[in-house]
Amino acid sequence: MSPANTVAVLGAGSIGVAFAIVFSRAGFPVRVWDPDPAAPARAGHDLRDRLTRLRQHGLLDEEPGVVAARVAFVPSVADAVDGAGLVQECAPERAEVKRELFAKVTTLTGPEVVLASSSSAIPASVLAEGLASAGRILIGHPGNPPYLLPVIEVVPSPETEQGIVERASTVYRAAGLRPVELRREVEGFVFNRLQGALLREAYCLLRDGVADVEDIDSVVRLGLGRRWSVVGPFETADLNTRGGIGAHAEKMGPSYERMGAERGQHDPWTLELVARAVAQRRAMLPLAEWDERVRWRDERLMELERNNRD
């Protein structure tokens, strides 16, 4: 799908507005529908405000009014999806609400139209159960806000057609997003499972009197978060220990296993699991290039530090 194709956004809350920004900034005509009659005025204001701020920070190539003109707020679902190549559902996080909306959209769209849900945790199979359009329904879960966090999880159900998955990823790439296609669906997907694991431990540390909210946020903001903005958890482990992720698992695995057991979670890093991680990391980064990559990481962190001091 090229930017000439219309994208329908169903729901004009914060995520709906954010998706309207993502697609319109990339040149797509966007039609937005919301059941609340007051939504267009509020969402239109939010849209213009965010586009203006993006422009002020050098993150919008065109004038805000030019981009905003690509977004139309329409009075019905039928108006929104008419001629659309992708429908991005942004309804409240309730399965029955989303299912009802998809049931309606099923009768209004053709077999080639992608039906994507922005759900944060509900699997596509739950939303698609019993619908004739089950093969066209998948999850397109963004980081929030997607106009600043470019990752989007593309999560098919077992019934989703591969062509639909590919079409969705193509549209998201054209909109400047980085689609990550999950191999199977699981509640919460990857984003919220990782986020949830950190939040659970943060609440436990608060409960146990180890640290307060401000201190825990400081550790993440100044340490983990800053580093993870450059390298993810697997690459962090790979670069933290000479010898790579295998050496890291040998040294730190028992400690992490004890910490997990303390929380009632027994998920040790088995030899087979570590070997799989090692194989994938070495395919991306041979050990002969390890020192160079460490220097690259440090350079990126130095740039962040300099920018934070400006």
Side-chain angles (χ1 to χ4, degrees), residues 65-81:
V66 173
V67 179
R70 297 190 185 108
V71 181
F73 294 91
V74 296
S76 71
V77 174
D79 290 328
V81 304

Side-chain angles (χ1 to χ4, degrees), residues 1-9 15-32 43-44 46-52 54 59-73 86 88 146-147 171-172 174-177:
M1 181 187 294
S2 70
N5 293 100
T6 298
V7 172
V9 176
I15 289 296
V17 171
F19 265 121
I21 291 170
V22 168
F23 290 119
S24 62
R25 181 172 62 177
F28 288 86
V30 182
R31 292 200 209 90
V32 183
D46 290 346
L47 176 79
R48 292 186 295 272
D49 174 69
R50 294 175 194 180
L51 288 172
T52 298
L54 286 167
L59 298 173
L60 195 66
D61 295 333
E62 301 173 286
E63 289 298 324
V66 173
V67 179
R70 297 190 185 108
V71 181
F73 294 91
L86 181 142
Q88 188 74 43
Y147 50 83
V171 175
Y172 291 140
L177 298 173

